[in-house]
Protein backbone atom coordinates (compact mmCIF):
# COMPACT_ATOMS: atom_id res chain seq x y z
CA UNK A 1 0.00 0.00 0.00
CA UNK A 2 1.44 3.33 -1.05
CA UNK A 3 2.43 5.64 1.80
CA UNK A 4 0.00 8.47 2.05
CA UNK A 5 0.72 12.05 2.84
CA UNK A 6 -0.94 13.60 5.82
CA UNK A 7 -3.27 16.60 5.78
CA UNK A 8 -1.24 19.57 4.44
CA UNK A 9 -0.47 22.51 6.73
CA UNK A 10 -2.38 24.84 4.45
CA UNK A 11 -5.57 22.92 5.19
CA UNK A 12 -5.25 23.48 8.94
CA UNK A 13 -4.80 27.20 8.20
CA UNK A 14 -7.92 27.11 6.00
CA UNK A 15 -9.94 25.54 8.80
CA UNK A 16 -8.84 28.21 11.28
CA UNK A 17 -9.69 30.98 8.82
CA UNK A 18 -13.08 29.44 8.12
CA UNK A 19 -13.91 29.14 11.81
CA UNK A 20 -12.76 32.68 12.54
CA UNK A 21 -14.95 34.00 9.72
CA UNK A 22 -17.96 32.29 11.30
CA UNK A 23 -17.09 33.53 14.80
CA UNK A 24 -16.88 37.21 13.93
CA UNK A 25 -14.42 39.86 15.03
CA UNK A 26 -15.58 40.53 18.58
CA UNK A 27 -14.82 37.01 19.71
CA UNK A 28 -12.13 34.63 20.91
CA UNK A 29 -11.96 30.82 20.83
CA UNK A 30 -10.16 28.74 23.42
CA UNK A 31 -9.37 25.13 22.49
CA UNK A 32 -7.42 22.92 24.92
CA UNK A 33 -5.43 19.80 24.06
CA UNK A 34 -6.59 16.50 25.57
CA UNK A 35 -5.23 15.83 29.06
CA UNK A 36 -2.81 12.97 29.67
CA UNK A 37 -4.73 10.16 31.38
CA UNK A 38 -3.28 7.78 33.93
CA UNK A 39 -3.86 4.07 33.49
CA UNK A 40 -2.50 3.02 36.86
CA UNK A 41 0.10 4.40 39.22
CA UNK A 42 2.44 6.38 36.96
CA UNK A 43 1.63 4.53 33.75
CA UNK A 44 -0.22 6.59 31.16
CA UNK A 45 -2.73 5.60 28.50
CA UNK A 46 -1.46 6.12 24.98
CA UNK A 47 -1.93 9.82 24.31
CA UNK A 48 -4.67 10.72 21.85
CA UNK A 49 -5.06 14.37 20.95
CA UNK A 50 -8.48 16.00 21.30
CA UNK A 51 -10.15 15.87 17.88
CA UNK A 52 -11.21 19.54 17.87
CA UNK A 53 -7.71 20.62 18.87
CA UNK A 54 -6.10 18.44 16.22
CA UNK A 55 -8.57 19.61 13.58
CA UNK A 56 -7.51 23.22 14.11
CA UNK A 57 -3.80 22.81 14.81
CA UNK A 58 -2.39 19.48 13.58
CA UNK A 59 -0.38 19.68 16.81
CA UNK A 60 -0.35 16.49 18.86
CA UNK A 61 1.45 17.38 22.08
CA UNK A 62 -0.40 17.43 25.41
CA UNK A 63 -0.50 20.50 27.69
CA UNK A 64 -1.25 22.84 24.81
CA UNK A 65 -3.96 25.44 24.26
CA UNK A 66 -4.93 27.06 20.96
CA UNK A 67 -6.41 30.55 20.90
CA UNK A 68 -8.11 32.12 17.89
CA UNK A 69 -8.67 35.87 17.95
CA UNK A 70 -10.27 36.95 14.65
CA UNK A 71 -9.06 40.27 13.33
CA UNK A 72 -6.39 40.80 15.99
CA UNK A 73 -3.64 42.78 14.32
CA UNK A 74 -0.60 41.26 15.95
CA UNK A 75 -1.56 37.59 16.03
CA UNK A 76 -4.87 35.86 15.30
CA UNK A 77 -3.61 32.36 16.11
CA UNK A 78 -1.76 31.86 19.38
CA UNK A 79 -0.49 28.54 20.73
CA UNK A 80 0.51 27.79 24.29
CA UNK A 81 2.78 24.74 24.36
CA UNK A 82 5.19 22.90 26.62
CA UNK A 83 8.50 24.71 26.78
CA UNK A 84 11.65 23.02 25.53
CA UNK A 85 13.37 21.10 28.35
CA UNK A 86 16.36 18.93 27.42
CA UNK A 87 16.15 16.88 30.63
CA UNK A 88 12.40 16.12 30.26
CA UNK A 89 12.80 15.48 26.56
CA UNK A 90 15.39 12.81 27.34
CA UNK A 91 12.72 10.99 29.35
CA UNK A 92 9.48 11.79 27.54
CA UNK A 93 10.41 12.66 23.97
CA UNK A 94 10.81 15.68 21.78
CA UNK A 95 8.85 18.89 22.17
CA UNK A 96 8.24 21.55 19.58
CA UNK A 97 8.44 24.38 22.09
CA UNK A 98 7.16 27.87 21.23
CA UNK A 99 9.71 28.28 18.43
CA UNK A 100 8.58 25.01 16.82
CA UNK A 101 4.92 25.99 17.23
CA UNK A 102 5.41 29.10 15.08
CA UNK A 103 7.95 27.56 12.67
CA UNK A 104 6.29 24.18 12.03
CA UNK A 105 2.64 24.72 12.97
CA UNK A 106 2.06 28.26 11.69
CA UNK A 107 1.08 29.85 15.00
CA UNK A 108 1.35 33.65 14.67
CA UNK A 109 2.68 33.71 18.19
CA UNK A 110 3.47 31.01 20.77
CA UNK A 111 4.24 30.96 24.49
CA UNK A 112 5.20 28.41 27.14
CA UNK A 113 2.07 26.87 28.69
CA UNK A 114 3.33 27.98 32.12
CA UNK A 115 2.69 31.60 31.11
CA UNK A 116 -0.97 31.16 30.20
CA UNK A 117 -2.43 32.61 33.43
CA UNK A 118 -0.45 35.75 32.85
CA UNK A 119 -1.13 36.17 29.11
CA UNK A 120 -4.62 34.83 28.42
CA UNK A 121 -6.63 37.45 30.40
CA UNK A 122 -5.04 40.12 28.21
CA UNK A 123 -6.21 38.27 25.10
CA UNK A 124 -9.75 37.97 26.48
CA UNK A 125 -9.98 41.65 27.25
CA UNK A 126 -12.12 43.67 24.85
CA UNK A 127 -13.65 40.57 23.26
CA UNK A 128 -17.40 40.10 23.74
CA UNK A 129 -17.85 36.38 23.10
CA UNK A 130 -15.81 33.40 24.22
CA UNK A 131 -16.23 30.35 21.96
CA UNK A 132 -15.55 27.28 24.02
CA UNK A 133 -16.69 23.64 24.28
CA UNK A 134 -18.00 23.28 27.85
CA UNK A 135 -18.12 19.95 29.64
CA UNK A 136 -15.54 17.87 27.76
CA UNK A 137 -12.48 18.73 29.84
CA UNK A 138 -14.00 19.69 33.23
CA UNK A 139 -10.72 20.75 34.87
CA UNK A 140 -10.02 23.11 32.03
CA UNK A 141 -13.61 24.46 32.16
CA UNK A 142 -12.82 25.73 35.65
CA UNK A 143 -9.74 27.55 34.45
CA UNK A 144 -11.62 29.25 31.60
CA UNK A 145 -14.33 30.44 33.98
CA UNK A 146 -11.58 31.57 36.36
CA UNK A 147 -9.87 33.70 33.69
CA UNK A 148 -13.11 35.39 32.68
CA UNK A 149 -14.24 35.98 36.27
CA UNK A 150 -10.80 37.31 37.14
CA UNK A 151 -11.23 39.94 34.44
CA UNK A 152 -14.76 40.77 35.56
CA UNK A 153 -13.47 41.39 39.06
CA UNK A 154 -11.14 44.00 37.62
CA UNK A 155 -13.86 45.91 35.77
CA UNK A 156 -13.60 48.82 38.21
CA UNK A 157 -9.99 49.13 37.12
CA UNK A 158 -11.23 49.64 33.58
CA UNK A 159 -10.72 46.12 32.27
CA UNK A 160 -13.50 44.75 30.07
CA UNK A 161 -14.47 41.09 30.32
CA UNK A 162 -16.34 39.08 27.65
CA UNK A 163 -20.09 39.06 28.26
CA UNK A 164 -21.04 35.83 26.59
CA UNK A 165 -19.99 32.19 26.31
CA UNK A 166 -20.86 30.59 22.98
CA UNK A 167 -20.87 26.83 22.31
CA UNK A 168 -17.91 26.37 19.99
CA UNK A 169 -19.10 22.85 19.19
CA UNK A 170 -22.12 24.13 17.22
CA UNK A 171 -19.93 25.93 14.74
CA UNK A 172 -16.84 23.74 14.72
CA UNK A 173 -18.65 20.42 14.60
CA UNK A 174 -20.61 21.48 11.59
CA UNK A 175 -17.31 22.19 9.82
CA UNK A 176 -15.99 18.78 10.87
CA UNK A 177 -19.09 17.07 9.49
CA UNK A 178 -18.07 17.97 5.92
CA UNK A 179 -14.91 16.18 4.89
CA UNK A 180 -12.49 17.87 2.51
CA UNK A 181 -10.72 16.06 -0.33
CA UNK A 182 -7.69 15.63 1.91
CA UNK A 183 -9.79 14.21 4.73
CA UNK A 184 -11.57 11.82 2.37
CA UNK A 185 -8.15 10.56 1.26
CA UNK A 186 -7.30 9.83 4.90
CA UNK A 187 -10.64 8.11 5.42
CA UNK A 188 -10.15 6.00 2.30
CA UNK A 189 -6.77 4.95 3.69
CA UNK A 190 -8.26 4.12 7.11
CA UNK A 191 -11.00 2.13 5.37
CA UNK A 192 -8.55 0.30 3.11
CA UNK A 193 -6.30 -0.72 6.00
CA UNK A 194 -9.35 -1.71 8.04
CA UNK A 195 -10.76 -3.80 5.21
CA UNK A 196 -7.40 -5.51 4.68
CA UNK A 197 -7.42 -6.46 8.37
CA UNK A 198 -10.83 -8.11 8.00
CA UNK A 199 -9.59 -10.08 4.97
CA UNK A 200 -6.58 -11.17 7.00
CA UNK A 201 -8.89 -12.28 9.83
CA UNK A 202 -11.03 -14.33 7.42
CA UNK A 203 -7.91 -16.04 6.11
CA UNK A 204 -6.56 -16.73 9.58
CA UNK A 205 -9.79 -18.04 11.03
CA UNK A 206 -10.20 -21.77 11.73
CA UNK A 207 -11.99 -23.94 14.29
CA UNK A 208 -9.94 -24.28 17.47
CA UNK A 209 -8.29 -20.88 17.25
CA UNK A 210 -9.18 -18.25 19.85
CA UNK A 211 -10.92 -14.94 19.38
CA UNK A 212 -7.79 -13.17 20.67
CA UNK A 213 -5.62 -14.85 18.04
CA UNK A 214 -7.84 -13.43 15.33
CA UNK A 215 -7.83 -10.05 17.12
CA UNK A 216 -4.03 -10.19 17.00
CA UNK A 217 -4.12 -10.61 13.20
CA UNK A 218 -6.22 -7.46 12.99
CA UNK A 219 -3.85 -5.51 15.21
CA UNK A 220 -0.89 -6.73 13.15
CA UNK A 221 -2.44 -5.46 9.92
CA UNK A 222 -3.24 -2.07 11.48
CA UNK A 223 0.18 -1.56 13.00
CA UNK A 224 2.13 -2.55 9.92
CA UNK A 225 0.46 0.42 8.18
CA UNK A 226 1.15 2.76 11.11
CA UNK A 227 -2.52 2.70 12.03
CA UNK A 228 -4.05 1.79 15.37
CA UNK A 229 -7.43 0.65 16.67
CA UNK A 230 -10.01 3.42 16.52
CA UNK A 231 -12.04 1.64 19.27
CA UNK A 232 -11.84 -1.60 21.23
CA UNK A 233 -12.32 -4.43 18.74
CA UNK A 234 -15.20 -6.87 19.07
CA UNK A 235 -14.25 -10.42 18.06
CA UNK A 236 -17.18 -12.60 19.01
CA UNK A 237 -17.67 -16.22 17.98
CA UNK A 238 -21.03 -18.02 18.16
CA UNK A 239 -23.48 -16.47 20.58
CA UNK A 240 -20.89 -13.89 21.68
CA UNK A 241 -21.88 -12.08 18.48
CA UNK A 242 -25.20 -11.29 20.16
CA UNK A 243 -23.46 -9.16 22.81
CA UNK A 244 -23.30 -5.80 21.06
CA UNK A 245 -20.23 -4.51 22.92
CA UNK A 246 -18.53 -7.87 23.52
CA UNK A 247 -15.02 -7.13 24.81
CA UNK A 248 -13.57 -10.32 26.30
CA UNK A 249 -12.35 -11.73 22.96
CA UNK A 250 -11.06 -14.81 24.76
CA UNK A 251 -13.24 -17.75 23.68
CA UNK A 252 -12.30 -20.64 21.45
CA UNK A 253 -13.85 -20.60 17.96
CA UNK A 254 -16.05 -23.58 17.25
CA UNK A 255 -16.64 -25.45 14.02
CA UNK A 256 -20.08 -24.55 12.72
CA UNK A 257 -20.27 -21.13 14.44
CA UNK A 258 -20.16 -17.67 12.95
CA UNK A 259 -17.57 -15.08 13.95
CA UNK A 260 -18.55 -11.40 14.14
CA UNK A 261 -15.70 -8.91 14.02
CA UNK A 262 -16.27 -5.19 14.55
CA UNK A 263 -12.86 -3.55 14.21
CA UNK A 264 -11.63 -0.37 12.57
CA UNK A 265 -8.46 1.62 12.58
CA UNK A 266 -7.40 5.20 13.05
CA UNK A 267 -5.03 6.48 10.40
CA UNK A 268 -3.66 10.04 10.54
CA UNK A 269 -6.43 10.85 13.06
CA UNK A 270 -9.27 9.49 10.88
CA UNK A 271 -11.29 6.41 11.77
CA UNK A 272 -12.73 3.46 9.96
CA UNK A 273 -15.44 1.32 11.57
CA UNK A 274 -16.07 -2.04 9.93
CA UNK A 275 -18.01 -5.17 10.82
CA UNK A 276 -17.93 -8.45 8.99
CA UNK A 277 -19.50 -11.75 10.03
CA UNK A 278 -18.31 -15.03 8.56
CA UNK A 279 -18.33 -18.78 9.25
CA UNK A 280 -15.48 -20.05 11.40
CA UNK A 281 -15.02 -23.02 9.05
CA UNK A 282 -15.55 -21.02 5.85
CA UNK A 283 -19.06 -22.35 5.01
CA UNK A 284 -22.40 -20.92 6.14
CA UNK A 285 -25.04 -23.37 7.35
CA UNK A 286 -28.46 -22.93 5.74
CA UNK A 287 -29.82 -21.21 8.86
CA UNK A 288 -26.84 -18.87 9.15
CA UNK A 289 -27.06 -18.06 5.48
CA UNK A 290 -30.77 -17.25 5.77
CA UNK A 291 -30.09 -14.71 8.53
CA UNK A 292 -26.94 -13.41 6.84
CA UNK A 293 -28.65 -12.73 3.54
CA UNK A 294 -31.31 -10.61 5.23
CA UNK A 295 -28.66 -8.45 6.88
CA UNK A 296 -26.76 -8.27 3.60
CA UNK A 297 -29.87 -7.17 1.76
CA UNK A 298 -30.57 -4.57 4.47
CA UNK A 299 -27.02 -3.25 4.15
CA UNK A 300 -27.40 -2.90 0.38
CA UNK A 301 -30.86 -1.31 0.63
CA UNK A 302 -29.70 1.18 3.28
CA UNK A 303 -26.58 2.10 1.31
CA UNK A 304 -28.70 2.80 -1.76
CA UNK A 305 -30.46 5.52 0.25
CA UNK A 306 -27.25 7.45 0.88
CA UNK A 307 -27.32 10.28 -1.62
CA UNK A 308 -27.71 14.05 -1.59
CA UNK A 309 -31.27 15.13 -0.93
CA UNK A 310 -32.22 12.06 1.09
CA UNK A 311 -32.42 12.54 4.83
CA UNK A 312 -30.56 10.92 7.69
CA UNK A 313 -33.22 8.39 8.59
CA UNK A 314 -33.87 6.98 5.11
CA UNK A 315 -31.12 4.33 5.29
CA UNK A 316 -32.45 3.21 8.67
CA UNK A 317 -36.02 3.04 7.38
CA UNK A 318 -34.82 0.94 4.43
CA UNK A 319 -32.90 -1.43 6.74
CA UNK A 320 -35.88 -1.76 9.08
CA UNK A 321 -38.14 -2.66 6.15
CA UNK A 322 -35.84 -5.41 4.85
CA UNK A 323 -35.13 -6.80 8.31
CA UNK A 324 -38.80 -6.83 9.32
CA UNK A 325 -39.73 -8.65 6.12
CA UNK A 326 -36.87 -11.09 6.69
CA UNK A 327 -37.84 -11.77 10.29
CA UNK A 328 -41.38 -12.54 9.14
CA UNK A 329 -40.01 -14.94 6.51
CA UNK A 330 -37.92 -16.65 9.16
CA UNK A 331 -40.99 -16.99 11.36
CA UNK A 332 -39.47 -14.85 14.11
CA UNK A 333 -42.13 -12.16 13.74
CA UNK A 334 -45.75 -12.72 12.98
CA UNK A 335 -48.10 -10.17 11.46
CA UNK A 336 -48.19 -7.59 8.71
CA UNK A 337 -44.95 -5.79 7.93
CA UNK A 338 -46.23 -2.16 8.21
CA UNK A 339 -47.85 -2.87 11.57
CA UNK A 340 -44.73 -4.64 12.83
CA UNK A 341 -42.60 -1.69 11.72
CA UNK A 342 -44.91 0.73 13.49
CA UNK A 343 -44.74 -1.32 16.67
CA UNK A 344 -40.94 -1.55 16.26
CA UNK A 345 -41.22 -5.31 16.69
CA UNK A 346 -37.85 -5.71 14.91
CA UNK A 347 -36.13 -4.18 17.97
CA UNK A 348 -36.14 -7.54 19.68
CA UNK A 349 -33.56 -8.69 17.11
CA UNK A 350 -32.21 -5.39 15.68
CA UNK A 351 -31.87 -3.09 18.67
CA UNK A 352 -29.48 -0.43 17.43
CA UNK A 353 -29.61 2.20 14.74
CA UNK A 354 -28.30 1.70 11.22
CA UNK A 355 -25.38 4.10 11.50
CA UNK A 356 -23.68 7.24 12.76
CA UNK A 357 -21.42 9.96 11.43
CA UNK A 358 -17.81 8.91 11.02
CA UNK A 359 -14.65 11.02 10.95
CA UNK A 360 -11.92 11.84 13.44
CA UNK A 361 -14.16 10.30 16.08
CA UNK A 362 -15.75 6.92 15.44
CA UNK A 363 -19.09 8.29 16.51
CA UNK A 364 -18.30 11.58 14.91
CA UNK A 365 -19.64 15.03 15.65
CA UNK A 366 -22.43 16.70 13.71
CA UNK A 367 -26.14 17.09 14.29
CA UNK A 368 -28.55 14.41 13.09
CA UNK A 369 -31.47 16.79 13.06
CA UNK A 370 -31.95 20.41 12.13
CA UNK A 371 -34.74 21.57 14.38
CA UNK A 372 -37.30 18.79 14.20
CA UNK A 373 -36.23 17.57 10.76
CA UNK A 374 -33.74 14.84 9.97
CA UNK A 375 -30.59 16.22 8.39
CA UNK A 376 -30.40 16.00 4.62
CA UNK A 377 -27.33 14.31 3.11
CA UNK A 378 -24.80 16.54 1.37
CA UNK A 379 -21.53 15.66 -0.38
CA UNK A 380 -18.60 15.26 2.02
CA UNK A 381 -20.58 13.70 4.86
CA UNK A 382 -19.36 10.25 5.93
CA UNK A 383 -21.43 7.72 7.87
CA UNK A 384 -21.62 4.05 8.69
CA UNK A 385 -24.25 1.62 7.44
CA UNK A 386 -24.50 -1.22 9.93
CA UNK A 387 -27.69 -3.26 10.10
CA UNK A 388 -27.69 -6.43 12.16
CA UNK A 389 -29.79 -9.31 13.46
CA UNK A 390 -29.05 -10.88 16.84
CA UNK A 391 -31.00 -13.92 17.98
CA UNK A 392 -30.17 -14.67 21.62
CA UNK A 393 -29.16 -18.24 22.43
CA UNK A 394 -31.99 -18.58 24.93
CA UNK A 395 -34.66 -16.73 22.96
CA UNK A 396 -38.06 -18.23 23.61
CA UNK A 397 -40.26 -19.28 20.75
CA UNK A 398 -37.33 -19.37 18.35
CA UNK A 399 -36.45 -22.49 16.35
CA UNK A 400 -33.30 -24.09 17.70
CA UNK A 401 -31.44 -23.79 14.39
CA UNK A 402 -31.64 -19.97 14.58
CA UNK A 403 -30.64 -19.51 18.21
CA UNK A 404 -27.34 -17.84 19.04
CA UNK A 405 -26.85 -16.40 15.56
CA UNK A 406 -25.60 -12.80 15.48
CA UNK A 407 -24.84 -11.00 12.23
CA UNK A 408 -23.82 -7.40 11.53
CA UNK A 409 -22.41 -6.01 8.31
CA UNK A 410 -20.95 -2.52 8.67
CA UNK A 411 -19.54 -0.29 5.96
CA UNK A 412 -18.23 3.26 5.84
CA UNK A 413 -19.93 5.37 3.22
CA UNK A 414 -19.17 8.86 1.91
CA UNK A 415 -21.88 11.01 0.34
CA UNK A 416 -20.78 12.09 -3.15
CA UNK A 417 -22.30 14.52 -5.64
CA UNK A 418 -24.44 11.86 -7.29
CA UNK A 419 -24.80 9.16 -4.68
CA UNK A 420 -22.26 7.58 -2.41
CA UNK A 421 -18.88 5.88 -2.27
CA UNK A 422 -18.50 2.75 -0.13
CA UNK A 423 -15.05 3.14 1.38
CA UNK A 424 -14.87 -0.35 2.86
CA UNK A 425 -15.55 -2.55 -0.15
CA UNK A 426 -12.06 -4.05 0.19
CA UNK A 427 -13.61 -6.53 2.62
CA UNK A 428 -16.00 -8.96 0.90
CA UNK A 429 -19.52 -9.10 2.25
CA UNK A 430 -21.76 -11.08 -0.13
CA UNK A 431 -21.95 -14.59 1.37
CA UNK A 432 -20.59 -16.24 -1.80
CA UNK A 433 -17.65 -13.84 -1.88
CA UNK A 434 -16.87 -14.50 1.76
CA UNK A 435 -16.97 -18.27 1.19
CA UNK A 436 -14.81 -17.95 -1.94
CA UNK A 437 -12.19 -15.96 -0.06
CA UNK A 438 -12.14 -18.35 2.88
CA UNK A 439 -12.12 -21.40 0.61
CA UNK A 440 -9.10 -20.08 -1.21
CA UNK A 441 -7.20 -19.34 1.99
N1 LIG B 1 -17.79 0.05 16.57
C1 LIG B 1 -18.74 0.93 17.11
C2 LIG B 1 -19.92 1.03 16.23
O1 LIG B 1 -20.09 0.23 15.35
O2 LIG B 1 -20.66 1.96 16.32
MN1 LIG C 1 -20.35 1.86 13.85
MN1 LIG D 1 -18.51 -0.84 14.41
Amino acid sequence: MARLKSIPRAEFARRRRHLMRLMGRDSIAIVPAAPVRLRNNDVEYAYRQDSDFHYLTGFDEPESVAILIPGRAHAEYVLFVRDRDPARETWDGRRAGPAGATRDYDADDAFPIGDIDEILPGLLENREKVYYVMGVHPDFDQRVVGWVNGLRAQSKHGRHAPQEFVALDHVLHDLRLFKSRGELDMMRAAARIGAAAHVRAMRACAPGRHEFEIAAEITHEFRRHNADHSYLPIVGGGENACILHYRENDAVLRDGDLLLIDAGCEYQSYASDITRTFPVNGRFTAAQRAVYDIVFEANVAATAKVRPGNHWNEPHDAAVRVITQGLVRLGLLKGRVPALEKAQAYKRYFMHRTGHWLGMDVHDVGDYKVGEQWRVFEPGMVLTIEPGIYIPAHARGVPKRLRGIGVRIEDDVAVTRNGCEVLTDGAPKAADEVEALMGAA
Side-chain angles (χ1 to χ4, degrees), residues 201-202 205-207 253-260 276-285 288-289 292 431 434-435 438:
M202 288 177 193
C205 187
L253 295 167
R254 291 183 324 199
D255 203 356
D257 275 353
L258 291 177
L259 174 59
L260 181 153
R276 289 292 184 266
T277 310
F278 53 88
V280 167
N281 65 14
R283 282 248 165 245
F284 289 94
T285 65
Q288 290 165 349
R289 175 84 191 235
Y292 188 91
V434 170
E435 286 188 344
M438 296 187 75

Side-chain angles (χ1 to χ4, degrees), residues 36 44 59-64 81-101 103-105 112-114:
V36 170
E44 295 166 1
F59 189 67
D60 283 340
E61 290 187 29
E63 296 181 73
S64 318
V81 301
R82 300 180 303 183
D83 215 352
R84 298 293 311 269
D85 180 339
R88 286 290 358 138
E89 288 179 56
T90 300
W91 287 91
D92 298 334
R94 298 181 183 89
R95 299 175 173 191
R103 186 186 59 234
D104 301 330
Y105 295 90
I113 187 70

Side-chain angles (χ1 to χ4, degrees), residues 231 234 262 273 275 356 362-363 386 408 410:
Y231 52 91
I234 297 164
D262 185 345
D273 180 6
T275 308
H356 48 81
V362 177
H363 291 184
E386 49 179 306
R408 178 165 65 255
E410 177 175 27

Side-chain angles (χ1 to χ4, degrees), residues 13 38 79 100 119 177 187 256 288 439:
L38 284 186
L79 269 179
I119 294 171
L177 177 58
M187 296 200 69
Q288 290 165 349

Side-chain angles (χ1 to χ4, degrees), residues 3 54 73 84 90 107 110 140 160 185 238 364 371 385 416 433-434:
R3 264 187 80 79
H54 179 90
R84 298 293 311 269
T90 300
F140 197 81
H160 179 82
D185 280 345
D364 205 31
I385 293 291
T416 61
E433 287 171 22
V434 170

